[in-house]
Amino acid sequence: MSFTSARRTTDGLPDLTYQPTSSRNVSSRLLTMVAAIFAGIAVLPLILVLGYVLIKGGATISLRLLTELPPPPGLEGGGIANAMIGTLVVTLIAALIAIPVGVGGGIFLAEYSRSGWFAQFIRFGTNVLSGVPSIIAGVFVYGTIVTSRIIFGNSYSALAGGMALAILMLPTVIKTTDEGLKLVPDDLRRAALGIGASRFVMIARITLPTAFTPIATGVVLAIARAAGETAPLIFTALFSPYWSDLLSGDGLFAPIASLSVLIYNFATMPYEFHNELAWSASFVLVSMILVLNLVSRWLGQFASR
Amino acid sequence: MTLSTTSTEETGASNNTALSVQNATISYGGNEAVKNVFCEIPRGKVTAFIGPSGCGKSTVLRALNRMNDLIEGCTLKGRVLFDGVDLYGPNVDPVEVRRRIGMVFQQPNPFPKSIYENIAFGARINGYTGDMDELVERSLRQAAVWDECKDKLNESGYSLSGGQQQRLCIARTIAIQPEVILMDEPCSALDPISTLKIEETMHELKKSFTIVIVTHNMQQAVRVSDMTAFFNAESVEGGSGKVGYLVEFNETEKIFNAPQQQVTQDYVSGRFG
Amino acid sequence: MAPDQDHLYRLRNRPVAEKLVDVGFKNITVALASVVAVVLFAILIVVFRGSLESMGRYGLEFLVTSNWNPVDDEYGAGAAIYGTLLTSLLSLMIAVPLGVGTAIFITENIIPPGIRNLLGLMVELLAAIPSVVLGLWAIFVMEPFIRPGLELLHTAFHWLPIFSTPPMGPGTIPAVLILVVMILPIITAISRDSLNQVPGKLRQAAYGVGTTRWGALIHVILPAAVSGIVGGVMLALGRAMGETMAVTMIIGNSNNFSLSLLAPGNTIAAMLANQFGEADGSQVSSLMYAAFVLIVLTLGVNVMAQWLVKRLSLKY
């Protein structure tokens, strides 16, 4: 017997009791503690940020805040209503562009060409595009759409902002569609084709409806992310202290306010009231985004049932 | 060009032949899976494909309604004639092929829809203009699953047991009224009682349809089929894997009682495979 | 039976319209998929063409000189490039141990599953908080809170170049800390997924030969998950380099090169956010040049991340 280290009790039986002082048990407990501390530190910012936004921003919420325009610099009173509408409008424009393009592209990747060179190339491109910094999307739209005044002679506009956000949403929507469709068992595809369905009917009636929940979950998350983006908007949609004229549609071609740009602009102003408004806007924006996240989670659980 | 307008005189396809496989060689990528298959599948009969794993019997079956098109890199040399028309002809639309030659798969695969919709879906995309309720009932009856389904037509297809699901899939195929029904080991995922029920269904179905079934189970081939094709696989020189080929095709009774090839004799008597 | 029913199946022979829809739909999806490639190339071309003027004027010197002076129309992005690399690498150094540690803590069977899921959920929600809100928080809460600590650092270590200037509010250290908060969720989430994907068999094998939890983790599970974790870290690096808003709001936007971490600094993204709206003439071109550098940096990191994940995952 070469394992001389095997401990025995006085009765000569093997000793299997836990040895709290043995070096491996000490180091194991130590590492567990370190991991616990790290996890604590990782969660701390969330609690702090959420706490401040909810308490500091939540305290300022009033009907006036939600219905009025922001005051000019230096003055007080007013709200962030135009920015709330602006965020909805710009995000909606982005979704209207990115969802059809992204879902269509995802369908191509998952249903028509899983391993062709073009599909591999598009998948690679999608990954690369998702790594492009958000500010670059802004620079790109500025360089193509804003400076060229290609949209009916307008430079900064809600549409330009929506396009910049759409570039950021696109990779996420493509990936979720691609992956969602790949989760649909091939059995179902064979079943549809086996009774004489064309590819189009198979996709439209069988695979897309089956993959609806994972795709919707991903799309909602992409919308939530886009709603909070600032960098692509600061020199595409710019900002506006006024209501945007949405009824006639002209508002889409003019600069538009958004919550995120409002936070950026007002946080760096030397006026306390405007700083307060930035907190209020944060409260509204974070609430919107958290609700969207919860919706996507609910969708996901709905699917697993 | 559509199938029905094409004349049927092309080769010596007699009226009693539904499908005629002529010197078919099927490859995945560059590798031949099964080669030089000749086989005349008679109309209104049940034909069984048997043989050890990897002999290419499922590959040949899928070639009969161009399901192999879905596998990237799969190619077929030779001809497959359906009523005398080459299924792999340049103007043939695989979707139309599958509307005439339906398929039932190894795993029951109902759509995530109601039982009623599972049946109606296929009929509708085939432009069915008759009474849908009547068609659903008739198809489910023919597949011998009506009694289990009649009270829950609006429930999901997944609420049925595995065997019932497979019969639902058969009903779904019947509902598009194909001329031929291909079955790829339809009972391999089922328990013996469900298997028996499906075999009974097949006896009913052969009155109306030509059936080709791939099976691992030799007793099943004896019980249900009129004709049997025995496939085997052998290593080829210079090739990496095995290549399947058709050993013998004859009446089921002859294959099992008086085979002409020694390998067939060995296989049906259980000496290998 | 089949023939006499045939007339009921109107579409047995597919009408031309149906075939056209089928082919048309496929072509539409191909076109939509191509949008990705078109946008990507368009971004590269637009930014590259925009920067040509500045490239011709400064060449590669642009990358190392740090005088950014719109008044004299002289530009060099050295300070911003240095700041980009510095802030992202420093934040990575802090966030990687924290993120991987957290991932271990929420995948290992140390605490009840309820709390584990809650922790995981909280880290995911942290990723959902917009960068601009984190910037706001950094300006008004975090920076005032850590200022006394930074002052202490300065008094004790002012002879070290990196702590040589007194903290004045915005600066590199607050920017690094807020970057840590931003990339922590990515590292944690991807590490967690990689750890979860390690087959249970491996863990059982390790326990089966008598290792402790950490023995199994260090010798078996982490090596098996390393490809995913490294990929996540690289993605986080790319994100940190391109992160704009929170950094812009707290880094101080100074183009003067300083070794001190307590002094205001700059990153490429922050510089773009700050100046692009009001820039004209050759300043735009120089900003485009800087943007091009940023694209090359993030692209390189992302491509390397994909390559590493593929390469490392072969081993296991």
Side-chain angles (χ1 to χ4, degrees):
Chain A
M1 182 80 183
S2 56
F3 293 102
T4 47
S5 64
R7 283 175 285 110
R8 305 235 152 211
T9 59
T10 44
D11 309 336
L13 295 170
D15 182 4
L16 295 175
T17 51
Y18 180 71
Q19 302 287 314
T21 52
S22 87
S23 67
R24 70 156 185 263
N25 287 331
V26 169
S27 64
S28 193
R29 264 177 304 159
L30 210 69
L31 286 166
T32 305
M33 264 163 59
V34 169
I37 293 168
F38 281 7
I41 296 176
V43 181
L44 195 65
L46 177 84
I47 295 169
L48 289 175
V49 174
L50 272 187
Y52 268 91
V53 167
L54 294 182
I55 294 166
K56 224 169 138 59
T60 64
I61 296 302
S62 64
L63 191 64
R64 201 169 172 204
L65 185 88
L66 302 177
T67 51
E68 289 189 14
L69 290 175
L75 297 185
E76 301 201 351
I80 53 170
N82 66 334
M84 288 165 59
I85 294 172
T87 289
L88 292 179
V89 168
V90 176
T91 312
L92 188 71
I93 294 171
L96 287 180
I97 300 170
I99 292 174
V101 175
V103 170
I107 288 175
F108 169 74
L109 293 181
E111 297 286 354
Y112 285 108
S113 180
R114 290 239 167 137
S115 53
W117 69 267
F118 186 64
Q120 300 286 21
F121 172 67
I122 294 295
R123 272 201 194 97
F124 177 77
T126 307
N127 283 335
V128 172
L129 192 61
S130 69
V132 167
S134 58
I135 185 89
I136 297 293
V139 170
F140 170 65
V141 170
Y142 178 87
T144 47
I145 291 167
V146 176
T147 50
S148 70
R149 297 179 174 263
I150 203 167
I151 305 177
F152 309 117
N154 301 284
S155 56
Y156 300 104
S157 68
L159 274 177
M163 284 179 197
L165 287 188
I167 293 176
L168 295 180
M169 281 180 73
L170 184 60
T172 323
V173 178
I174 290 192
K175 269 193 212 167
T176 19
T177 308
D178 186 13
E179 276 153 26
L181 285 173
K182 275 191 200 150
L183 289 179
V184 176
D186 272 344
D187 274 346
L188 283 184
R189 293 194 178 85
R190 283 194 282 269
L193 296 175
I195 53 170
S198 63
R199 284 254 165 167
F200 170 70
V201 170
M202 175 193 88
I203 293 165
R205 301 288 304 280
I206 304 293
T207 51
L208 261 191
T210 309
F212 176 79
T213 343
I215 295 175
T217 307
V219 168
V220 170
L221 281 181
I223 293 175
R225 216 193 118 198
E229 281 287 353
T230 319
L233 297 180
I234 43 183
F235 37 82
T236 53
L238 218 63
F239 189 72
S240 155
Y242 312 112
W243 297 105
S244 55
D245 183 6
L246 294 169
L247 290 179
S248 71
D250 288 349
L252 297 181
F253 305 107
I256 195 168
S258 56
L259 287 170
S260 54
V261 176
L262 183 143
I263 297 170
Y264 174 54
N265 287 349
F266 287 10
T268 43
M269 277 184 183
Y271 308 108
E272 211 161 292
F273 185 79
H274 284 79
N275 297 161
E276 288 285 311
L277 279 186
W279 282 105
S280 319
S282 297
F283 176 82
V284 175
L285 186 60
V286 167
S287 312
M288 272 166 59
I289 288 170
L290 288 188
V291 166
L292 282 175
N293 268 276
L294 292 179
V295 166
S296 88
R297 236 156 231 292
W298 174 79
L299 271 173
Q301 284 183 352
F302 185 72
S304 60
R305 254 192 287 137
Chain B
M1 185 172 96
T2 56
L3 290 175
S4 56
T5 54
T6 313
S7 57
T8 56
E9 86 299 330
E10 283 196 31
T11 46
S14 76
N15 256 343
N16 294 324
T17 303
L19 282 158
S20 164
V21 184
Q22 300 187 340
N23 200 16
T25 298
I26 305 167
S27 323
Y28 297 111
N31 304 322
E32 291 182 341
V34 57
K35 64 194 252 182
N36 302 49
V37 176
F38 286 90
C39 181
E40 302 265 309
I41 291 160
R43 195 183 298 281
K45 296 239 162 79
V46 178
T47 303
F49 288 180
I50 62 169
S53 309
C55 66
K57 55 193 189 299
S58 286
T59 304
V60 173
L61 186 80
R62 283 198 305 268
L64 299 182
N65 72 341
R66 295 195 54 171
M67 286 304 273
N68 279 335
D69 290 18
L70 307 183
I71 302 167
E72 281 178 53
C74 184
T75 53
L76 178 138
K77 278 186 288 186
R79 303 208 299 174
V80 179
L81 302 184
F82 172 61
D83 285 348
V85 181
D86 187 358
L87 292 183
Y88 289 81
N91 292 319
V92 170
D93 178 355
V95 176
E96 290 197 3
V97 171
R98 295 181 204 124
R99 287 182 184 183
R100 288 178 174 76
I101 306 176
M103 192 155 192
V104 176
F105 300 86
Q106 197 167 357
Q107 294 287 334
N109 53 358
F111 297 121
K113 297 170 180 283
S114 68
I115 292 171
Y116 185 96
E117 275 304 310
N118 258 286
I119 310 283
F121 177 73
R124 225 176 268 136
I125 58 177
N126 279 273
Y128 182 69
T129 51
D131 180 348
M132 192 61 83
D133 291 353
E134 191 262 343
L135 177 73
V136 170
E137 177 172 347
R138 177 155 48 84
S139 308
L140 288 169
R141 275 188 194 283
Q142 267 190 299
V145 72
W146 170 250
D147 290 336
E148 293 95 322
C149 292
K150 65 180 177 216
D151 296 324
K152 46 188 210 175
L153 289 175
N154 289 320
E155 284 177 38
S156 161
Y158 292 112
S159 65
L160 299 170
S161 73
Q164 291 166 350
Q165 284 184 20
Q166 190 63 302
R167 276 177 285 150
L168 174 65
C169 293
I170 293 174
R172 178 176 71 190
T173 308
I174 296 170
I176 63 165
Q177 290 289 327
E179 289 164 48
V180 182
I181 299 178
L182 308 177
M183 298 185 173
D184 189 357
E185 299 190 33
C187 303
S188 67
L190 305 182
D191 60 90
I193 293 172
S194 304
T195 302
L196 204 66
K197 286 209 161 188
I198 291 197
E199 287 177 7
E200 282 166 11
T201 311
M202 269 188 265
H203 279 295
E204 279 303 304
L205 291 180
K206 75 175 179 185
K207 293 172 190 160
S208 324
F209 306 96
T210 305
I211 295 175
V212 186
I213 176 173
V214 164
T215 175
H216 250 103
N217 179 333
M218 278 182 278
Q219 278 69 44
Q220 184 170 54
V222 175
R223 285 193 298 262
V224 301
S225 72
D226 306 301
M227 303 290 289
T228 295
F230 170 62
F231 289 81
N232 195 13
E234 62 180 12
S235 311
V236 280
E237 273 175 51
S240 48
K242 288 182 164 184
V243 177
Y245 63 103
L246 176 62
V247 180
E248 196 170 347
F249 179 50
N250 212 330
E251 284 161 31
T252 301
E253 210 203 326
K254 293 226 173 87
I255 291 282
F256 283 91
N257 296 329
Q260 292 174 351
Q261 304 283 330
Q262 185 58 42
V263 264
T264 315
Q265 175 70 50
D266 290 349
Y267 186 75
V268 299
S269 57
R271 239 168 275 166
F272 81 101
Chain C
M1 177 148 190
D4 63 297
Q5 292 272 337
D6 222 27
H7 66 277
L8 287 174
Y9 295 85
R10 214 164 20 84
L11 299 177
R12 177 87 9 131
N13 299 318
R14 297 172 74 202
V16 180
E18 198 192 308
K19 291 189 190 185
L20 282 180
V21 168
D22 209 22
V23 175
F25 182 72
K26 178 179 179 178
N27 289 334
I28 288 171
T29 67
V30 173
L32 291 177
S34 320
V35 169
V36 172
V38 171
V39 168
L40 200 58
F41 282 118
I43 289 176
L44 285 174
I45 291 167
V46 165
V47 176
F48 182 73
R49 271 189 35 195
S51 58
L52 275 178
E53 184 202 326
S54 183
M55 277 181 184
R57 226 168 101 187
Y58 303 110
L60 290 176
E61 215 172 281
F62 182 80
L63 308 179
V64 288
T65 54
S66 62
N67 55 322
W68 188 277
N69 194 338
V71 182
D72 299 340
D73 221 16
E74 279 293 323
Y75 303 99
I81 294 172
Y82 170 75
T84 302
L85 297 175
L86 179 75
T87 51
S88 47
L89 289 176
L90 280 182
S91 61
L92 214 57
M93 276 165 58
I94 303 172
V96 168
L98 281 179
V100 176
T102 308
I104 291 173
F105 194 65
I106 56 185
T107 47
E108 283 293 309
N109 197 9
I110 299 174
I111 38 168
I115 304 178
R116 257 190 284 167
N117 289 340
L118 186 69
L119 280 174
L121 174 71
M122 290 179 86
V123 173
E124 274 172 38
L125 289 183
L126 187 56
I129 295 182
S131 146
V132 71
V133 173
L134 289 175
L136 180 76
W137 180 76
I139 292 179
F140 291 104
V141 184
M142 188 191 78
E143 193 275 324
F145 179 78
I146 61 168
R147 178 108 49 109
L150 298 183
E151 269 159 7
L152 218 64
L153 267 179
H154 172 63
T155 7
F157 298 105
H158 58 89
W159 41 272
L160 272 176
I162 51 168
F163 299 125
S164 58
T165 58
M168 308 184 296
T172 303
I173 287 188
V176 167
L177 290 181
I178 206 70
L179 271 180
V180 170
V181 175
M182 303 213 63
I183 61 178
L184 201 51
I186 310 172
I187 298 179
T188 309
I190 296 183
S191 304
R192 183 189 60 181
D193 292 348
S194 319
L195 288 171
N196 275 338
Q197 275 166 13
V198 174
K201 277 187 291 185
L202 277 184
R203 187 182 303 258
Q204 285 164 21
Y207 282 148
V209 295
T211 55
T212 59
R213 180 204 308 284
W214 285 89
L217 259 169
I218 292 166
H219 297 295
V220 178
I221 295 164
L222 279 177
V226 77
S227 75
I229 295 176
V230 169
V233 169
M234 296 294 282
L235 285 180
L237 177 61
R239 189 67 65 84
M241 291 198 298
E243 176 45 47
T244 314
M245 294 323 294
V247 175
T248 309
M249 291 163 88
I250 196 65
I251 200 166
N253 299 297
S254 156
N255 283 304
N256 298 321
F257 182 82
S258 168
L259 271 181
S260 172
L261 298 180
L262 299 169
N266 213 348
T267 67
I268 301 175
M271 194 165 77
L272 292 171
N274 241 305
Q275 304 187 8
F276 216 91
E278 291 116 43
D280 50 8
S282 63
Q283 191 184 355
V284 171
S285 181
S286 293
L287 286 171
M288 284 280 195
Y289 193 176
F292 188 71
V293 173
L294 179 60
I295 293 179
V296 170
L297 283 175
T298 50
L299 226 66
V301 166
N302 276 299
V303 171
M304 206 150 86
Q306 291 192 38
W307 180 77
L308 269 176
V309 168
K310 258 189 198 146
R311 231 184 92 87
L312 290 174
S313 61
L314 287 181
K315 276 193 206 161
Y316 144 65

